[in-house]
Every structure is written in structure tokens, then in C-alpha cells.
Amino acid sequence: AQSVSQHNHHVILSEAASLELGCNYSYGGTVNLFWYVQYPGQHLQLLLKYFSGDPLVKGIKGFEAEFIKSKFSFNLRKPSVQWSDTAEYFCAVNFNDYKLSFGAGTTVTVRA
Amino acid sequence: DADVTQTPRNRITKTGKRIMLECSQTKGHDRMYWYRQDPGLGLRLIYYSFDVKDINKGEISDGYSVSRQAQAKFSLSLESAIPNQTALYFCATSDLSVSGLYNEQFFGPGTRLTVL
């Protein structure tokens, strides 16, 4: 069955630390990949997306993600986090069908 | 003005009551979705609609029904609410990209529903 896995449930960092959130999916076909962020009390917003082309995708607010097809992964990175990056992060995958499948989410807490 | 709006934003109700959550969008998208969010489970799809005459069940449609009143409006109903339907509910919209590929979804602010 197609599924999306996010490895970390809760990550706690200090400001200026680097962030990497893992996302893996199970499917051997064509996929479209997304990372969404949900700031406290707010709705989901798109950080970045990958459809094709350069597997290193740059998004908003200094985030980037790398699609590694051989590893079925789409990990999110940010070199230096800020307190304002405290949020919940969701990886989502479109398995070439009608819907998005979401990972369970990773809560990121950045301490000042 | 927000592109995707949801009403109400918060609702507390009792077991057995009928509840309707409403979603409106000004993005002109044909596709609309209803999700529920539970801690540790991410978002799960309840129903989706690709146009006014097309309604489809998602992963967890039991206990829910929907109505697509117009291109811009998609309502979710709980006919007889139960406590395990306590969750955060999101509406989303999308269209197809120019190439016909799947495109990103845009989310509303959410409705926090508590069933006592």
C-alpha cells in the first residue's frame, strides 16, 4: 500500500541550528511531492513542491528539499533555524492519483 | 480577503447532534476536499469533489456526508456527531496545472470541532 512516513515526531532545536526532517514514501511510480507547514493556530501553507526536474528544490523562508528517487525520500532542510520556524511540518505525496497522502507530521520547536 | 474560508472556526456540540461545516473559496478551483487532522495521524481525507456533480468518498467517510452546492461551496455534515469525531477539520481546494498534472492544494483556516 502507498504510504508516507515522517521519521521524527518532535524535534527540539536551538536558534541557528540546522534542521533536517525526513520523509519517505512507498511507491515505485511517478510521484509529486510537497512539504507543508502549519504555524501554531494557523492553516497549512505550502513550503515547496517537486514535480520534475532538478531534485533539489528551494522553497520559501530558506527551506529546501532534496528528492532522492532511489531512496524514495524527500527530506526537508534549513541551514539555520529561527524561533519563528516553530511549527508542525507535513510531508505530502501525490501518488499519481486523485489525492494527497500526508505523513503524520513533525513538530519542530526552536528555542531562543 | 482569504481565498478559502471556513465557518464556524470553533464549535462545541453534544453527541447525537447534527453539525454542518461550511467551506467557501474564491480561487475559482474546481476541486475541493475535506480533511480531518488528529494528533500523530496527520491529515486524512474524508471526501473530495472534482466538480459540482462529482462527489467521492475518501479514506474515512463513515459518519460524514457532503454537499457541493456550487463550484465555490462545499459543506461537510456530521449527521449524528460522536466524541471520536472531535478533531480539526480542514477544507482545501486545487486545480490542475497547465500541463494537466496534479497541483498543490490550498487550505482553509480550519474548524475545531469538539463533540461532548
Side-chain angles (χ1 to χ4, degrees):
Chain A
Q2 299 156 348
S3 64
V4 182
S5 299
Q6 291 184 240
H7 311 304
N8 308 100
H9 180 63
H10 193 182
V11 173
I12 302 173
L13 300 164
S14 298
E15 278 193 310
S18 64
L19 172 69
E20 181 161 0
L21 302 181
C23 174
N24 286 88
Y25 62 90
S26 59
Y27 182 65
T30 302
V31 294
N32 301 306
L33 302 157
F34 306 81
W35 274 98
Y36 283 87
V37 61
Q38 186 179 28
Y39 297 106
Q42 297 188 26
H43 63 283
L44 277 77
Q45 304 171 40
L46 184 70
L47 274 178
L48 46 80
K49 60 186 177 183
Y50 173 81
F51 287 169
S52 63
D54 188 343
L56 186 60
V57 181
K58 295 193 183 300
I60 61 172
K61 306 188 180 188
F63 285 91
E64 65 178 30
E66 185 175 12
F67 171 50
I68 303 179
K69 188 174 182 180
S70 61
K71 294 185 178 180
F72 304 96
S73 70
F74 190 55
N75 292 353
L76 181 71
R77 299 193 290 252
K78 185 170 183 177
S80 177
V81 296
Q82 301 172 319
W83 177 81
S84 58
D85 292 322
T86 294
E88 190 160 17
Y89 293 80
F90 293 94
C91 178
V93 181
N94 169 248
F95 293 107
N96 203 26
D97 62 4
Y98 62 89
K99 67 182 180 70
L100 277 183
S101 296
F102 285 83
T106 298
T107 300
V108 173
T109 302
V110 180
R111 293 180 171 162
Chain B
D1 286 339
D3 295 320
V4 185
T5 57
Q6 293 182 232
T7 56
R9 296 293 311 278
N10 286 282
R11 182 71 183 267
I12 299 173
T13 191
K14 294 182 179 180
T15 297
K17 294 292 186 181
R18 184 179 188 275
I19 295 296
M20 178 180 284
L21 309 182
E22 299 188 347
C23 176
S24 295
Q25 53 114 345
T26 58
K27 298 189 75 68
H29 290 168
D30 286 327
R31 299 182 168 196
M32 299 187 72
Y33 308 79
W34 274 105
Y35 293 89
R36 64 177 279 174
Q37 183 183 11
D38 298 278
L41 296 177
L43 278 74
R44 293 180 292 167
L45 183 65
I46 306 172
Y47 269 94
Y48 65 101
S49 169
F50 282 179
D51 64 43
V52 175
K53 296 181 180 180
D54 179 73
I55 304 286
N56 301 281
K57 293 182 177 180
E59 305 168 67
I60 53 164
S61 58
D62 288 348
Y64 302 94
S65 62
V66 291
S67 173
R68 185 82 183 266
Q69 299 95 326
Q71 187 209 34
K73 296 184 181 295
F74 192 36
S75 300
L76 176 72
S77 294
L78 288 68
E79 297 301 326
S80 179
I82 56 177
N84 76 1
Q85 291 178 311
T86 292
L88 188 55
Y89 289 85
F90 285 103
C91 173
T93 73
S94 73
D95 62 1
L96 288 175
S97 66
V98 172
S99 59
L101 294 175
Y102 183 87
N103 216 342
E104 69 184 89
Q105 293 186 10
F106 296 85
F107 287 82
T111 295
R112 186 166 296 281
L113 177 66
T114 303
V115 183
L116 301 176

